[in-house]
Amino acid sequence: MAEELKLSQEKPPRRWIENPFGWWQGTSLAWNSKVTIWNGTGEAEALSELFVDNLGSLLGTTTACVHQIGYAIVGRNEDLAAGDYGLQIAKEWEKIYFTRNIPGCAFSLLLGNLFYAWQAGRLGNKEGRTDVTAQPYGIATTGIYITLFAIQLPALLAGAEIYKPSDPLDAAEVQHAAYSAAEYAWKVSVACNFLLGICEMLGALCGETIRKLAPTAAFYAPMTGVGFVFLAFVPMLTIAQEPMMCLIPLLIVFNGFFGGVRYKLIGKLTIPIGFLAMASASMAGWLGACSRSHGTLGAEKLG
């Protein structure tokens, strides 16, 4: 398969140490209008998949950050049970997540995709071609779960100890201490995220060196582990619990992504796979696929 691929020009030689500042060679900073923004169903499919991917990542992150770390681990911590201190920390942490993290993700996704599109246009200018496309910008699923459990969780527990109230029966003091602990964890998380960003930027200088020296399996091991556990195995359990609502969307996704099936609407216009899967699941849920008797895992009947 690799021998059949033909590039419009030869790949530039890669050096052990790259100079990202001189790579553009005087290419214009203006937006490249020669590269078309919208060509039809391909862009619609890519936009839908990018939306579904980031939505799924955000939903998984919300579950891990708010419910598992906040309410399950910190909220039920026996050392923080006095005066419901742990529960108050979980509530403050939930507020921070929905008022700061979610809006921050929204702005970063917007600006990040615009920046990548601008970079694709500059690449087209530099190499004199228009068959370029922007790399999709989204949430780094592999790193986000490691950050949640290796940085945010220890920061929350450390903040809880630092600001632990002297009188757990004083509701006002407990509330203030919980706010301070959650604020402390958020500041630590932001600082660590900033440092991680600097490390990623250093990849522009020595990324090729790392890629040549490190074995490929070293890069895929954490990605496969996190992706399999949080993005594949856990959702498959949910699908197994709700087969009436989730089985048809699962088949739509499998046929579309792995079978090359395109769901035509009119002529060459096709329905995006991700959108069709979400629409069919929502329709099934509205028709009663979510209804169940008390104590059962899944729906007993449709409608």
Side-chain angles (χ1 to χ4, degrees):
M1 180 64 70
E3 291 75 14
E4 298 177 0
L5 298 176
K6 294 182 180 180
L7 302 177
S8 59
Q9 62 182 31
E10 294 295 328
K11 289 184 177 181
R14 303 301 299 270
R15 304 176 180 87
W16 284 87
I17 301 296
E18 294 284 353
N19 179 13
F21 300 102
W23 189 84
W24 293 107
Q25 299 177 356
T27 306
S28 172
L29 296 175
W31 188 275
N32 187 358
S33 59
K34 295 180 181 179
V35 178
T36 55
I37 298 178
W38 193 266
N39 291 312
T41 57
E43 276 75 10
E45 186 70 53
L47 182 62
S48 174
E49 292 174 16
L50 181 63
F51 170 78
V52 172
D53 175 72
N54 284 292
L55 178 61
S57 298
L58 274 178
L59 292 176
T61 303
T62 301
T63 301
C65 186
V66 176
H67 298 285
Q68 295 179 2
I69 291 179
Y71 286 99
I73 299 178
V74 177
R76 297 180 182 179
N77 193 309
E78 294 181 358
D79 296 333
L80 308 175
D84 288 336
Y85 180 43
L87 181 60
Q88 294 302 319
I89 294 177
K91 291 181 178 180
E92 293 296 331
W93 183 244
E94 182 180 14
K95 292 179 183 178
I96 288 178
Y97 179 81
F98 285 107
T99 58
R100 300 181 189 178
N101 293 13
I102 293 296
C105 287
F107 278 104
S108 65
L109 289 174
L110 174 62
L111 298 178
N113 279 288
L114 288 176
F115 179 73
Y116 276 11
W118 172 73
Q119 279 192 322
R122 289 196 70 190
L123 178 64
N125 274 332
K126 178 180 181 294
E127 299 183 350
R129 58 195 182 97
T130 58
D131 58 338
V132 294
T133 185
Q135 177 179 328
Y137 180 90
I139 299 173
T141 312
T142 306
I144 195 168
Y145 288 100
I146 299 175
T147 304
L148 286 175
F149 289 97
I151 296 177
Q152 289 190 356
L153 176 57
L156 268 176
L157 296 175
E161 289 297 326
I162 293 174
Y163 298 99
K164 199 168 186 177
S166 57
D167 184 8
L169 299 179
D170 188 345
E173 183 181 355
V174 171
Q175 179 68 28
H176 179 72
Y179 171 82
S180 300
E183 187 77 11
Y184 171 84
W186 182 77
K187 291 179 180 180
V188 171
S189 302
V190 171
C192 291
N193 194 52
F194 179 76
L195 294 176
L196 288 173
I198 293 178
C199 292
E200 291 189 9
M201 291 177 63
L202 293 177
L205 298 172
C206 56
E208 186 65 17
T209 303
I210 298 174
R211 191 182 70 85
K212 288 184 177 182
L213 294 178
T216 305
F219 299 106
Y220 286 126
M223 183 183 303
T224 304
V226 174
F228 176 77
V229 174
F230 288 100
L231 297 182
F233 183 70
V234 175
M236 286 301 294
L237 292 179
T238 304
I239 290 175
Q241 292 176 357
E242 302 288 352
M244 288 189 180
M245 182 175 62
C246 300
L247 184 57
I248 292 179
L250 179 65
L251 295 177
I252 291 174
V253 170
F254 277 7
N255 290 333
F257 290 157
F258 303 116
V261 177
R262 291 296 176 261
Y263 303 97
K264 293 186 178 181
L265 188 60
I266 300 176
K268 295 183 178 181
L269 183 63
T270 60
I271 305 176
I273 299 170
F275 174 79
L276 181 60
M278 292 182 61
S280 60
S282 301
M283 184 68 68
W286 292 334
L287 290 174
C290 293
S291 61
R292 62 181 67 92
S293 300
H294 180 70
T296 59
L297 290 176
E300 295 180 333
K301 61 180 181 178
L302 184 63

